[in-house]
Amino acid sequence: MPRTDENGRQLKALLDYLLDGDVEAKDIYDALGTSSSTYYRRIKEIDYPDAEELRRVADRFGLSYPDLQIRFGLMTRQEVLNYVDALESVGGAQTALRDATRTRTRAPKLSELRPRSDAPPL
């Protein structure tokens, strides 16, 4: 049984939730840099997803890597805060805090788009 988040969701289900839609398995195994057969074998393993897989998924889908690690129990919130505090002591807290708290901004839905008033007609 693979790792799940605090609500019992596997990675694909969490991505569907966070990205407000159906994420295709192909998008995930492309993000992981694996073949489809490796992906389908891997999702059954107890250590899926590991930290590197979460990093790759976070990078591909514009999500927060520390947040994914916390959700899947690879780090605690306190460990992330300790990391930021440690960086603060050496002067890198601003960058670390910005990276640790970065959130993905959702692209607008088609129904939310409006034509630009300054654009010429087609």
Side-chain angles (χ1 to χ4, degrees):
M1 183 71 175
R3 283 187 181 103
T4 58
D5 73 354
E6 66 272 9
N7 295 313
R9 292 179 289 221
Q10 293 183 12
L11 181 60
K12 183 182 180 323
L14 178 65
L15 292 175
D16 289 342
Y17 170 76
L18 293 175
L19 300 173
D20 195 29
D22 188 29
V23 176
E24 299 293 325
K26 182 181 184 338
D27 296 330
I28 299 172
Y29 62 74
D30 284 348
L32 297 174
T34 64
S35 66
S36 61
S37 59
T38 300
Y39 169 75
Y40 285 107
R41 177 187 47 81
R42 183 78 181 105
I43 63 173
K44 297 174 187 170
E45 296 176 4
I46 195 164
D47 64 337
Y48 174 80
D50 63 22
E52 177 60 16
E53 290 165 331
L54 291 176
R55 185 193 62 77
R56 289 177 182 216
V57 166
D59 288 348
R60 176 62 63 92
F61 295 104
L63 299 171
S64 168
Y65 174 50
D67 179 57
L68 290 179
Q69 286 189 309
I70 291 168
R71 287 177 184 264
F72 282 94
L74 297 177
M75 289 184 79
T76 65
R77 283 177 170 55
Q78 188 59 49
E79 288 171 326
V80 171
L81 292 174
N82 291 344
Y83 174 73
V84 171
D85 288 343
L87 286 177
E88 184 176 81
S89 68
V90 294
Q94 295 290 343
T95 302
L97 187 56
R98 188 174 342 114
D99 291 345
T101 59
R102 184 184 80 203
T103 59
R104 179 187 177 279
T105 56
R106 171 180 75 75
K109 294 181 179 180
L110 191 57
S111 62
E112 298 170 344
L113 296 177
R114 300 287 176 255
R116 289 183 15 214
S117 61
D118 64 327
L122 295 176

